[in-house]
């Protein structure tokens, strides 16, 4: 499962350093992506958690949105966590004035848990990762409220709310696997990357 692939982490704002550390622990090469030309020669990209309106505005000013929309449609593997999930979604409630990449067939609600319960941890059942539950760290997290055909739900809260999904080359989680020592979600993304490479 370990991999020497080159994975970029969008480093405009948010917790990109933690994602880079998780990728390196798995033996992948992790590169900070600050400009669209940094995407060249990468095997995949992670869009981290942070503030989706801030990351979204910076993505527009640096010219990332169209490029990433096209790359995602062409099969380039992208993993969006939390704010990154919001930016990959086809549409997001309450995203103010920011254009999203819009590549993944999900509709999300930002800050879905409100101020009362804005951060929490819970064990998630993620069948694709095996029987051991995954530690879900939620910080002002979004949820998935609609899915288009072809979207596979990977993780749900105990009440059934979807919080992780996959659609071909695209992977999203409302929670933060990079803030845990459990590397299975990143390893799963590296598998998506390797599978894409094999089918090219
Ligand atoms: N609430 C943030 C947003 O929607 C996401 C929070 C996070 O990434 N931890 O932008």
């Amino acid at each position: 499962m370990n991999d020497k692939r080159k994975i970029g982490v969008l480093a405009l704002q948010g917790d990109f350093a933690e994602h880079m550390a998780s990728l390196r622990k798995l033996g992948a090469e992790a590169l900070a992506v600050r400009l669209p030309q940094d995407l060249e020669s990468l095997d995949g990209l992670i869009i981290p958690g942070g503030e989706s309106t801030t990351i979204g505005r910076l993505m527009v000013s640096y010219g990332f949105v169209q490029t990433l929309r096209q790359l995602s449609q062409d099969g380039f593997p992208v993993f969006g966590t939390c704010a990154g999930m919001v930016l990959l979604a086809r549409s997001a409630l309450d995203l103010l004035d920011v254009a999203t990449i819009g590549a993944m067939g999900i509709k999300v609600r930002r800050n879905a848990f409100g101020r009362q319960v804005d951060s929490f941890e819970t064990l998630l059942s993620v069948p694709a990762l095996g029987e051991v539950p995954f530690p879900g760290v939620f910080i002002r997290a979004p949820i998935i409220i609609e899915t288009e055909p072809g979207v596979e739900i990977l993780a749900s809260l105990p009440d059934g709310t979807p919080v992780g999904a996959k659609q071909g080359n695209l992977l999203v989680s409302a929670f933060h696997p990079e803030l845990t020592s459990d590397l299975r979600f990143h390893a799963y993304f590296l598998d998506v990357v390797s599978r894409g490479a094999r089918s090219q």
Side-chain angles (χ1 to χ4, degrees):
M1 205 179 269
N2 287 4
D3 208 300
K4 237 322 174 196
R5 300 211 170 265
K6 264 192 183 179
I7 308 295
V9 183
L10 192 67
L12 301 178
Q13 191 263 339
D15 71 337
F16 50 88
E18 288 80 354
H19 274 293
M20 292 173 74
S22 298
L23 289 167
R24 286 176 182 147
K25 281 185 201 151
L26 286 166
E29 195 177 335
L31 289 104
V33 170
R34 297 201 163 86
L35 292 169
Q37 52 263 44
D38 298 338
L39 294 167
E40 283 162 25
S41 84
L42 292 179
D43 297 308
L45 178 76
I46 294 181
I47 305 179
E51 188 50 50
S52 53
T53 46
T54 306
I55 300 176
R57 283 185 188 130
L58 291 169
M59 281 175 56
V60 171
S61 5
Y62 287 103
F64 274 107
V65 177
Q66 289 296 341
T67 310
L68 281 177
R69 195 175 288 157
Q70 192 59 50
L71 281 172
S72 316
Q73 279 161 7
D74 293 347
F76 179 67
V78 185
F79 178 18
T81 59
C82 203
M85 166 167 123
V86 173
L87 292 162
L88 264 186
R90 192 87 72 216
S91 63
L93 293 183
D94 308 322
L95 190 63
L96 310 177
D97 55 352
V98 183
T100 68
I101 299 165
M104 179 144 175
I106 56 172
K107 180 173 182 178
V108 305
R109 184 193 308 279
R110 287 181 69 211
N111 301 334
F113 299 94
R115 285 192 195 161
Q116 313 298 325
V117 200
D118 69 356
S119 299
F120 61 98
E121 288 189 37
T122 187
L123 288 174
L124 298 168
S125 141
V126 186
L129 300 183
E131 279 181 18
V132 177
F134 192 88
V137 176
F138 291 82
I139 305 170
R140 293 183 299 285
I143 56 168
I144 298 168
I145 52 176
E146 277 174 36
T147 55
E148 295 173 16
V151 174
E152 180 192 347
I153 299 299
L154 293 179
S156 306
L157 289 172
D159 69 359
T161 303
V163 288
K166 176 177 182 297
Q167 183 178 31
N169 51 309
L170 305 176
L171 188 62
V172 291
S173 71
F175 47 94
H176 290 267
E178 76 284 6
L179 299 183
T180 72
S181 55
D182 193 324
L183 297 172
R184 286 178 295 159
F185 236 95
H186 288 83
Y188 185 83
F189 180 58
L190 291 179
D191 269 3
V192 171
V193 169
S194 298
R195 255 176 279 154
R198 277 200 292 276
S199 67
Q200 270 164 19

